[in-house]
Amino acid sequence: MYILNRGGKMDFALTEDQRLIQESVRDFMQSKEVATWIKKAETDKEFPHEFMKRAAGLGYLAMTIDPKYGGAGLGPLDAIVAMEEFAYRSVPFSLNILVQNSLAGHAIATFGTEEQKTKYLPKMAAGELFGCFANTEPDAGSDAKSIITHAKKYADKWVLNGKKRFCTNASEAGIAVVFGRTAARARGAPGTTAFLVEIGSELPGFSLDKKEEKVAQYGSTLCEFSLDDVMVAEDAVLGQVGRGWEVCDKTFRHSRIWIAMQGVGVARRAIDETIAYGSLRKTFGKPIVEHQHVAFELAKARVALESARLLVFKAAWQEAEGDSEFVITASMAKYAAGELAEKASCLCYRYFGGLSISSESISSKLHRDAAIIPVYEGASEIQLAIIAKDMLKK
């Protein structure tokens, strides 16, 4: 898709390659095999290893990674076209795809040394190694610079101590991007450093303390872990010492576009399910969707859906073009798509009526899965703050 091509002509069509990506992911996610894995994850609430293995075989675990490291080499626009289709069928499965690609994978691909990229990315692309991104702590969420996990240098080793919280798929990961404080926080200098830590039960000092009992997004795990004198080598530093915030911030800016498209995908599903059910269910002698107030609500949701998707596409296009303004557009997209996901799923829940009280109804599932999207990877309030700050400085 090109928002503006070189000749100055507006073109909102997907390219032929992007249509093929869209169709291939859609076919995969609509398959009976994936439907079985989604159902299994909703029942046992476990990480879908079989799905991820198959996704790896199709090239979906390293979509934007350079082919020299086993990736597919897709551009930002290509990847988010795929992301919408993953999210349409399963929010938690799309989250697993996202964490591997736009968080852990992107951070290593962008800031890693040649040795780090060669060591980790091919295994991540093949589904032999899962990654996670660990910045959030019990007392550091939206204020991401206020982490207290610390790392101290002893000879040629770094020793990490602290606790990380709400880390998606840490229970399955073998490599974690971990942020620790290596200097006091000062104005313009957060004083943090990023480390690549090979986590797991065999790592001395590492403890997986908790897997959250979630009420939604079954099939991805949410974990808390501790680092107690965990020792890593000098070459575990990702990026530069003291510049961890750069790694964290730039990775979140990139991933924000993916989360926004996740919101678009689930919102589109909620609207489609509402129309499908509302076309069959009758009240007062006619289908629900033919009541004007219902039709108007659906029409407003459609406008919001198209608007949010265009913001996501614009942000991805700007990123691909190297336009630094993509950061602001990404915040707009995350805000618009996150809010839409929650509202569209609520609309679906409402118009399914009494069926929504059943945990097995699609309206209930969509409502639960979408509710957290305006919160994670930068809450809506944080996105508004970013947008407002940019407006006021100009």
Side-chain angles (χ1 to χ4, degrees), residues 194-233:
F195 297 89
L196 290 175
V197 183
E198 296 180 5
I199 62 174
S201 59
E202 296 181 358
L203 176 64
F206 173 82
S207 174
L208 184 66
D209 301 326
K210 185 179 182 181
K211 285 174 65 175
E212 297 287 347
E213 290 291 332
K214 302 193 300 179
V215 298
Q217 296 197 4
Y218 304 133
S220 66
T221 67
L222 196 61
C223 306
E224 185 172 304
F225 65 81
S226 297
L227 304 167
D228 184 11
D229 287 338
V230 168
M231 190 175 296
V232 296

Side-chain angles (χ1 to χ4, degrees), residues 34-330:
V34 171
T36 299
W37 292 331
I38 292 173
K39 184 65 177 177
K40 181 176 183 295
E42 290 170 357
T43 302
D44 63 23
K45 301 178 176 59
E46 296 296 330
F47 184 81
H49 286 277
E50 293 177 334
F51 167 79
M52 294 295 278
K53 182 178 180 180
R54 185 59 57 83
L58 294 170
Y60 297 147
L61 297 192
M63 288 188 278
T64 59
I65 301 301
D66 192 317
K68 72 181 285 189
Y69 305 113
L74 300 181
L77 278 165
D78 307 324
I80 61 164
V81 166
M83 188 62 189
E84 180 177 356
E85 298 306 317
F86 283 117
Y88 184 88
R89 286 293 165 187
S90 173
V91 175
F93 281 23
S94 73
L95 185 61
N96 295 334
I97 295 290
L98 182 151
V99 171
Q100 190 80 344
N101 278 272
S102 67
L103 285 176
H106 180 78
I108 296 171
T110 304
F111 295 96
T113 63
E114 182 62 30
E115 290 74 19
Q116 288 170 335
K117 288 186 281 190
T118 300
K119 182 178 182 179
Y120 297 117
L121 292 178
K123 291 181 180 180
M124 292 177 71
E128 298 169 2
L129 177 69
F130 297 118
C132 64
F133 198 81
N135 189 73
T136 299
E137 298 179 0
D139 294 312
S142 292
D143 185 6
K145 297 178 184 178
S146 65
I147 62 171
I148 60 174
T149 291
H150 60 274
K152 291 187 178 181
K153 185 80 176 293
Y154 294 94
D156 60 347
K157 304 289 185 182
W158 286 93
V159 177
L160 284 74
N161 283 278
K163 185 181 288 289
K164 296 297 180 179
R165 193 179 196 184
F166 299 151
C167 186
T168 301
N169 294 338
S171 58
E172 315 303 321
I175 187 68
V177 181
V178 177
F179 296 87
R181 182 161 302 288
T182 50
R185 181 176 179 178
R187 190 175 185 84
T192 62
T193 299
F195 297 89
L196 290 175
V197 183
E198 296 180 5
I199 62 174
S201 59
E202 296 181 358
L203 176 64
F206 173 82
S207 174
L208 184 66
D209 301 326
K210 185 179 182 181
K211 285 174 65 175
E212 297 287 347
E213 290 291 332
K214 302 193 300 179
V215 298
Q217 296 197 4
Y218 304 133
S220 66
T221 67
L222 196 61
C223 306
E224 185 172 304
F225 65 81
S226 297
L227 304 167
D228 184 11
D229 287 338
V230 168
M231 190 175 296
V232 296
E234 283 185 302
D235 61 7
V237 172
L238 181 64
Q240 298 180 39
V241 174
R243 298 185 65 175
W245 177 245
E246 180 181 358
V247 178
C248 185
D249 189 38
K250 288 188 175 180
T251 302
F252 276 148
R253 291 176 178 184
H254 167 77
S255 189
R256 200 161 283 153
I257 302 172
W258 291 57
I259 287 287
M261 191 54 103
Q262 182 187 60
V264 168
V266 69
R268 187 182 114 217
R269 176 72 180 277
I271 293 168
D272 286 351
E273 294 289 351
T274 304
I275 292 173
Y277 177 74
S279 297
L280 298 174
R281 178 77 166 93
K282 293 183 178 181
T283 60
F284 303 101
K286 60 182 178 181
I288 292 172
V289 293
E290 292 184 13
H291 291 283
Q292 189 180 71
H293 68 280
V294 176
F296 279 9
E297 289 297 323
L298 289 169
K300 287 188 285 186
R302 171 69 183 278
V303 172
L305 176 68
E306 296 296 331
S307 300
R309 185 187 286 113
L310 285 173
L311 277 171
V312 178
F313 278 135
K314 182 182 178 183
W317 174 77
Q318 286 177 309
E319 183 183 26
E321 292 292 305
D323 183 352
S324 62
E325 284 295 306
F326 95 86
V327 175
I328 305 304
T329 311

